[in-house]
Amino acid sequence: MSELLLGDKNAVIYGGGGAIGGAIARVFAREGARVFIAGRTQAKLDAVARDVAATGGTVETAQVDVLDQQAVEKHADAIAATAGSIDIAINAVSVMHDQGTLLADLSLEEFMRPIDGFLRTLFITSKAVARHMGRERPGVILTLSEPGSKLAVGGILGHSVSAAGKEAFSRVLAAELAPSNIRVIGIRPHAVVDAPAAGSYTKDLFMQTAAATGQSVQEFLEEGMAQGTLLKRLPTLTEIAETAAFLASDRAGAMTGTIANLTAGALVD
């Protein structure tokens, strides 16, 4: 039997009841991690926890508002007190935002919503876990961004700035935390083809744009967005989760301050 990638690791996943967060939780648990999933909706967390438990994994849930810094810090402190340390953390929290509106019709509130929402939660969660990581036990913080960080297309101003901000945050945090034996790596998937069917907010996010082209959201993803990639397809939840497990493992121990490009070739580094 092959060695588990994340054996003896304690992993906290914010947004763990969502499509991407849930997929990562299932793979992390399969690879031996003790998984702590946090999010706003207990029913979604429970659904993921049942899947993990059904396969023999170890999982604990907590209803936490990741915009509440005190609540997040209290939750992280409790995990560290229970498990002894936090070895891996990933923020997979979703923030509904606008895509498709040009500057002339875009309000300041709509522009700022993804910037403030995504970056505020990333700051709060990273600060809460970092103090319980590293030193004699290697720590890993994973972040999630989007191709909008580098794309130059109209109608995604707030989205693009938030994506670029998340990647800049990851790079700078990697420099700050490296002396404490903590790695920081960004994961940049494209739109995830099977996420809407798994309950992702992207179903609502892409609905208006898809309708404008006379397509369903799934057709928009598979026949529209996928054609803009080199591989002519979009990444899957499984591919993102499996990549996250590898990056969080000691096998990727020389990687930090970088972005794992999972855009299927929509962006070429």
Side-chain angles (χ1 to χ4, degrees):
M1 184 177 178
S2 60
E3 181 184 351
L4 295 174
L5 279 176
L6 305 177
D8 194 37
K9 303 283 189 183
N10 302 311
V12 56
I13 302 168
Y14 300 99
I20 291 179
I24 290 173
R26 294 178 185 97
V27 172
F28 277 17
R30 185 201 71 202
E31 290 298 329
R34 181 177 180 181
V35 176
F36 299 83
I37 55 175
R40 292 167 294 194
T41 309
Q42 189 65 48
K44 291 185 176 181
L45 296 171
D46 289 343
V48 174
R50 283 193 296 269
D51 290 346
V52 171
T55 59
T58 303
V59 60
E60 296 181 32
T61 69
Q63 195 169 14
V64 179
D65 178 1
V66 292
L67 290 171
D68 183 338
Q69 186 171 10
Q70 189 174 7
V72 173
E73 290 181 351
K74 183 178 178 181
H75 173 245
D77 291 349
I79 292 173
T82 300
S85 69
I86 296 175
D87 304 306
I88 305 161
I90 183 165
N91 184 332
V93 172
S94 58
V95 177
M96 192 63 185
H97 58 280
D98 175 86
Q99 288 194 32
T101 304
L102 300 176
L103 175 64
D105 298 314
L106 188 68
S107 69
L108 176 61
E109 180 187 6
E110 284 292 347
F111 172 70
M112 289 301 301
R113 182 173 294 145
I115 299 168
D116 184 68
F118 282 119
L119 293 176
R120 186 180 292 265
T121 64
L122 192 53
F123 176 90
I124 289 172
T125 57
S126 298
K127 185 167 185 177
V129 300
R131 59 187 177 182
H132 299 297
M133 283 184 160
R135 294 170 293 277
E136 69 281 354
R137 285 178 69 97
V140 182
I141 295 176
L142 300 176
T143 67
L144 288 165
S145 68
E146 302 83 25
S149 62
K150 290 191 173 184
L151 289 176
V153 297
I156 58 170
L157 270 176
H159 167 72
S160 289
V161 172
S162 71
K166 286 186 282 186
E167 295 187 4
F169 181 95
S170 299
R171 287 193 300 272
V172 175
L173 193 63
E176 283 196 21
L177 298 183
S180 298
N181 197 20
I182 302 171
R183 299 186 293 117
V184 184
I185 303 175
I187 301 173
R188 184 204 292 148
H190 205 346
V192 186
V193 70
D194 52 346
S200 170
Y201 81 115
T202 54
K203 181 176 182 179
D204 294 327
L205 180 67
F206 295 132
M207 191 171 290
Q208 183 177 346
T209 306
T213 62
Q215 297 175 305
S216 68
V217 170
Q218 208 57 41
E219 289 170 338
F220 172 70
L221 292 173
E222 294 178 6
E223 301 171 17
M225 294 187 77
Q227 298 311 304
T229 72
L230 294 182
L231 297 179
K232 305 303 179 188
R233 69 176 186 87
L234 296 172
T236 65
L237 290 169
T238 296
E239 288 170 332
I240 294 167
E242 296 287 355
T243 300
F246 169 74
L247 295 175
S249 76
D250 294 340
R251 296 185 193 180
M255 292 181 68
T256 195
T258 191
I259 305 295
N261 184 349
L262 272 67
T263 65
L267 292 179
V268 180
D269 295 324

